[in-house]
Amino acid sequence: MTEEPYIVFGSPIIGSEEISSVVKTLETCWIGTGPRVHEFQRAFAEYTGAQHALATASCTAALHLAMVASGVGHGDEVITTPMTFCATANAIVHTGATPVFADCRRDTMNIDPAAVEAAITPRTRAIVPVHFAGRPVDMDAISAIAKKHGLLVIEDAAHAIETVYHGRKAGTLGDIGCFSFYVTKNMTTGEGGMVTTNDAELARKIQIYGLHGLSADAWSRFSDKGYKHYEVVFPGFKYNLTDMAASLGLVQLPKLREWLVRREEIWARYDAAFADLPVTLPAPPEPNTVHARHLYTLLVRDDAPVGRDQFLAEMHKRRIGTGVHYRALHVQPYYRERFGFRPEDFPNAHFIGERTVSIPLTPKLSDRDVERVIVAVREILGGGSSR
Ligand SMILES: *Cc1c(COP(=O)(O)O)cnc(C)c1O
């Protein structure tokens, strides 16, 4: 029997449209930040309903820019969840502010508004909720807390491109939204990100700070309208997206709808196939929301025949890639040592971090791939093959 192909976790769909779009951009010789980025920004603003969308090199850059442009810095505290990718909290550290964790809920894995409220001090400046796995945070509660205490809300919408909460898209629910187009995300530009906001002044700052702090961007500087001097108005960053990357994004954006439908299909098959196993399945989506289905996360229960790490190894043996989203941030060495956290400080994040595993969910999976994943999970967790 020939060996089964490896199912790569989070592998993107890159088809002929993507390839020819990038090639066309290359042929124009305008491969830096130019017309394709502007087009992508307009398309993304339209997609989310935000008034302004500004492309960045990554979501990490987007988060950092969003905070710096909002004036977050030394002496400030920013509240976020320990159940997130390290970039969320790292970006806070890079502004000079102090990250303050508020525990997540066990069921939704999203930040708990009651824990946010309890973490507020006179130094709190902002809240960075993360729409975990594509499930919207309870934004009514977060917005109410922010309003009461005069805080900024910066959404980490890296998992949440398609997420809708009470009729509004993620990224438009707070003051600023930050998106990721990293390879494994719901759409990709290779590396890339986007900031969304309805605040014109913030948008202007984000645009300037994201390209060295120059008063005019490279596109208008090097256009055929003649040379124009630039002014340095801020010690900014090199956080711009390229036209090559934007040309990928422009053809992926219209496919999001169809890809979400496919992931919903795979999700439903997993839910049905694993219902009798010693695992905790993802909670059903809340009413009046769209879950972006970025990650299908299983918690391997303590009564399962294998632990989480052994489960990961067994999946690999069956040539199936998995992910862990995430081991809680407060137990990572930097955060643990710098802030003196103990695992039990955020017990829900720690509990999830020790048991969670993400199995393949990309729309690239064939029905046969999905079946292979199901058979493997059932075999490893003692569910047998009969269903
Ligand atoms: C992927 C991710 C990021 C960082 O995105 P990049 O585009 O890789 O910088 C930030 N936050 C969360 C929750 C993520 O999953």
Side-chain angles (χ1 to χ4, degrees):
M1 208 179 95
T2 56
E3 200 171 38
E4 298 265 26
Y6 201 93
I7 299 176
V8 177
F9 182 84
S11 183
I13 294 180
I14 302 292
S16 55
E17 256 193 298
E18 279 81 357
I19 291 166
S20 69
S21 181
V22 174
V23 169
K24 256 189 237 147
T25 298
L26 284 170
E27 284 167 352
T28 68
C29 272
W30 196 286
I31 59 178
T33 301
R36 303 295 276 167
V37 166
H38 286 252
E39 208 183 318
F40 185 37
Q41 290 180 162
R42 277 194 302 275
F44 202 80
E46 192 176 317
Y47 176 80
T48 54
Q51 277 167 36
H52 308 276
L54 301 148
T56 55
S58 68
C59 181
T60 307
L63 287 161
H64 187 215
L65 263 184
M67 286 186 273
V68 173
S70 314
V72 172
H74 287 278
D76 293 331
E77 290 176 357
V78 177
I79 299 175
T80 192
T81 170
M83 185 40 59
T84 184
F85 184 57
C86 61
T88 317
N90 290 352
I92 297 170
V93 172
H94 288 312
T95 67
T98 303
V100 172
F101 292 128
D103 205 2
C104 63
R105 289 172 50 123
R106 278 242 189 129
D107 52 356
T108 63
M109 305 188 186
N110 270 329
I111 198 165
D112 182 348
V116 171
E117 180 98 57
I120 287 171
T121 76
R123 289 172 178 269
T124 309
R125 271 296 302 280
I127 308 170
V128 182
V130 179
H131 304 295
F132 185 87
R135 176 192 307 277
V137 166
D138 179 356
M139 290 302 288
D140 282 349
I142 296 295
S143 302
I145 294 167
K147 196 165 171 210
K148 183 171 148 199
H149 299 275
L151 309 174
L152 272 164
V153 176
I154 298 170
E155 300 170 71
D156 181 335
H159 299 178
I161 300 176
E162 304 90 338
T163 299
V164 181
Y165 175 81
H166 300 180
R168 282 159 64 204
K169 287 265 193 195
T172 69
L173 301 162
D175 298 287
I176 308 181
C178 299
F179 293 87
S180 174
F181 310 125
Y182 178 66
V183 187
T184 58
K185 298 296 179 0
N186 288 356
M187 62 167 276
T188 186
T189 60
E191 295 280 2
M194 193 74 78
V195 183
T196 50
T197 184
N198 288 333
D199 183 320
E201 179 54 21
L202 269 176
R204 195 185 64 83
K205 280 192 182 165
I206 287 162
Q207 164 125 48
I208 292 170
Y209 292 13
L211 193 65
H212 306 296
L214 306 186
S215 54
D217 72 9
W219 190 38
S220 43
R221 267 201 298 142
F222 299 113
S223 70
D224 52 12
K225 295 194 189 90
Y227 189 86
K228 240 182 107 198
H229 287 299
Y230 58 82
E231 311 259 80
V232 181
V233 296
F234 184 83
F237 308 95
K238 187 65 164 54
Y239 281 170
N240 53 309
L241 191 74
T242 66
D243 268 24
M244 278 194 293
S247 50
L248 268 180
L250 275 164
V251 296
Q252 296 233 315
L253 195 57
K255 297 177 184 170
L256 284 174
R257 181 72 236 144
E258 169 196 333
W259 287 344
L260 176 58
V261 169
R262 175 60 179 159
R263 289 197 306 279
E264 284 170 344
E265 226 171 75
I266 298 169
W267 191 289
R269 289 188 60 193
Y270 286 164
D271 273 354
F274 305 145
D276 63 331
L277 297 183
V279 290
T280 306
L281 302 179
E286 289 76 12
N288 198 12
T289 68
V290 175
H291 188 309
R293 319 272 178 176
H294 176 54
L295 300 169
Y296 190 92
T297 55
L298 292 169
L299 296 185
V300 179
R301 279 194 339 228
D302 296 350
D303 58 337
V306 296
R308 190 269 312 275
D309 288 356
Q310 199 184 339
F311 179 87
L312 299 173
E314 290 292 330
M315 289 292 276
H316 174 67
K317 255 193 233 163
R318 289 162 178 80
R319 303 185 55 74
I320 298 170
T322 49
V324 172
H325 302 90
Y326 300 93
R327 285 154 68 219
L329 259 191
H330 71 287
V331 296
Q332 293 286 355
Y334 172 79
Y335 289 94
R336 187 182 68 214
E337 286 159 23
R338 166 83 198 276
F339 300 102
F341 293 132
R342 292 156 304 159
E344 62 272 25
D345 289 343
F346 308 101
N348 291 340
H350 184 58
F351 181 93
I352 293 165
E354 296 284 288
R355 292 164 179 80
T356 190
V357 57
S358 307
I359 60 174
L361 184 66
T362 81
K364 196 177 183 173
L365 299 176
S366 66
D367 286 343
R368 195 171 134 55
D369 293 336
V370 174
E371 196 52 36
R372 268 182 65 196
V373 173
I374 289 173
V375 167
V377 171
R378 290 191 61 78
E379 233 174 61
I380 298 164
L381 293 172
S385 53
S386 61
R387 301 185 273 125

